[in-house]
Amino acid sequence: MPIPHVADPLGVILLRLQRSLERELIQGLQAGGYPDIRMRQLSVLDAVGADGAKAAALAARFDMTKQSMGELIDDLERSGYLGRAQDPSDRRARILELTPRGKVATEQCRQIVQAIERRYESLIGASRYHETRMSLAALLEHLEDGPVS
Amino acid sequence: MPIPHVADPLGVILLRLQRSLERELIQGLQAGGYPDIRMRQLSVLDAVGADGAKAAALAARFDMTKQSMGELIDDLERSGYLGRAQDPSDRRARILELTPRGKVATEQCRQIVQAIERRYESLIGASRYHETRMSLAALLEHLEDGPVS
DNA sequence: TGTACTTAGTCAGGATACCTGACGATCAGG
DNA sequence: CCTGATCGTCAGGTATCCTGACTAAGTACA
């Protein structure tokens, strides 16, 4: 009855996989005690990491506007996962860094993410999973190199 | 400088690929004369297809609420791509079907989608592309069979 | 040194795609 | 004929994006 997804356009497959994964992650985060971290925020926390980062660089890295990134960052700051420090070499800019709480959360969330990925891996086999992952990453790299020109 | 995506969690890769593809599709639809069709709507049109469909079934197929689906359908109807007919065997239900205009649009959009997919195919090679596509579909199938239980 | 361009970040406002909850109408099974 | 499921809708809310306009600050160069 449910038409097999091989027939679906790639966009539909990607969309549904992404939504499915996001749902599972949200569940995992809630179970793990982080009901206030949303998926996109997690990417940001991950990217800020140990080294800190600047908002504009993050926006570029995730291919979104400064405004959208700004909102994610505001929320993360309000929740106490992220702090802002003046950039001594540029008075316009602020350097983002994880708070201690943010560091703990990032590490635990990373493990939740890995658990989900391990489950996915087991569903279609490790080698096939990793090949798929690599191919997707390669595709993305190509797309970002030469957009549509 | 841009950290390679192989290191990114799967969710991030999927999300960015999906966004990238969606952007390209929107561009293609605009160039093709369908500036008022959005990506999610396209899936719906495609699913309604030649045979027609009912809203509740579509919602189930795309794993979303009837309300959300209802909104997509409303918009498609308002734009003249979709019509509703009374289901003779169930007075609650309406059967959705493509209008003539909807049929033309669906066919042309399908070609736009295919052009994009062919481009993707050329970026990482046909066999690798198709393997990836199959693996993703398989993964999705597994996920939908046994959710998280 | 001043002028022009670029860049960092914010404010305001809006579109899209989802959701939950509640509801009226209808169907289907005992 | 009652009970519970199902079809679709209304109302209202949230998350994640966007465009456009703006201030403040850096950068380059004649």
Side-chain angles (χ1 to χ4, degrees):
Chain A
M1 160 124 302
I3 298 154
H5 293 294
V6 204
D8 282 334
L10 181 63
V12 173
I13 298 178
L14 288 176
L15 184 58
R16 303 193 58 177
L17 259 181
Q18 196 270 320
R19 289 207 335 133
S20 174
L21 194 147
E22 180 155 359
R23 253 181 249 187
E24 198 166 335
L25 180 54
I26 286 171
Q27 247 185 277
L29 289 175
Q30 271 174 352
Y34 296 99
D36 58 344
I37 297 187
R38 284 165 285 135
M39 173 135 180
R40 317 303 166 100
Q41 295 181 333
L42 200 51
S43 328
V44 174
L45 286 179
D46 199 68
V48 171
D51 302 331
K54 281 189 246 175
L58 287 177
R61 182 165 192 282
F62 288 102
D63 193 23
M64 59 196 313
T65 58
K66 288 182 294 177
Q67 293 93 317
S68 301
M69 182 53 72
E71 216 183 308
L72 288 178
I73 290 169
D74 284 350
D75 291 346
L76 281 169
E77 192 181 13
R78 225 172 290 127
S79 312
Y81 293 111
L82 222 53
R84 286 166 139 132
Q86 259 299 335
D87 182 342
S89 68
D90 186 342
R91 253 179 303 167
R92 294 167 305 175
R94 308 258 178 96
I95 295 170
L96 302 168
E97 38 195 27
L98 297 176
T99 59
R101 188 179 170 217
K103 281 182 196 169
V104 175
T106 302
E107 186 45 47
Q108 295 201 330
C109 290
R110 208 191 307 268
Q111 283 172 21
I112 293 172
V113 169
Q114 279 172 2
I116 295 175
E117 294 205 24
R118 248 178 279 126
R119 190 169 93 79
Y120 279 28
E121 196 178 312
S122 76
L123 286 177
I124 59 168
S127 72
R128 199 173 169 200
Y129 178 81
H130 288 290
E131 262 173 42
T132 303
R133 215 173 180 302
M134 296 255 292
S135 297
L136 291 176
L139 189 52
L140 193 49
E141 224 104 11
H142 280 112
L143 287 172
E144 286 178 354
D145 282 356
V148 184
S149 88
Chain B
M1 160 128 301
I3 297 154
H5 294 294
V6 204
D8 283 334
L10 180 63
V12 173
I13 297 178
L14 289 176
L15 184 57
R16 302 193 57 178
L17 261 181
Q18 196 270 319
R19 290 210 329 135
S20 175
L21 193 148
E22 180 156 0
R23 252 180 253 186
E24 199 167 334
L25 180 54
I26 287 171
Q27 247 183 278
L29 289 175
Q30 272 174 351
Y34 296 100
D36 59 343
I37 298 186
R38 282 164 285 135
M39 171 135 182
R40 315 303 166 101
Q41 295 181 333
L42 201 50
S43 328
V44 174
L45 286 180
D46 199 69
V48 171
D51 304 330
K54 280 189 246 175
L58 288 177
R61 182 163 192 282
F62 288 102
D63 193 23
M64 60 197 310
T65 58
K66 288 182 293 176
Q67 292 93 317
S68 301
M69 182 54 73
E71 216 182 308
L72 288 179
I73 290 170
D74 284 349
D75 291 346
L76 282 169
E77 192 180 14
R78 224 172 291 128
S79 312
Y81 294 111
L82 223 54
R84 288 166 138 133
Q86 259 300 333
D87 182 341
S89 68
D90 185 341
R91 252 179 304 166
R92 295 167 304 176
R94 307 257 177 98
I95 295 171
L96 302 169
E97 36 196 28
L98 296 177
T99 60
R101 188 179 171 218
K103 280 181 196 168
V104 175
T106 303
E107 187 45 47
Q108 294 201 331
C109 289
R110 209 191 305 271
Q111 283 171 22
I112 293 171
V113 169
Q114 278 171 4
I116 296 175
E117 293 205 26
R118 249 177 278 126
R119 190 170 91 81
Y120 279 28
E121 196 177 311
S122 76
L123 286 176
I124 60 169
S127 72
R128 200 173 169 199
Y129 178 81
H130 288 291
E131 263 173 41
T132 304
R133 212 173 183 305
M134 296 253 292
S135 297
L136 292 176
L139 189 52
L140 194 50
E141 223 106 13
H142 279 112
L143 287 172
E144 287 178 352
D145 282 355
V148 183
S149 88

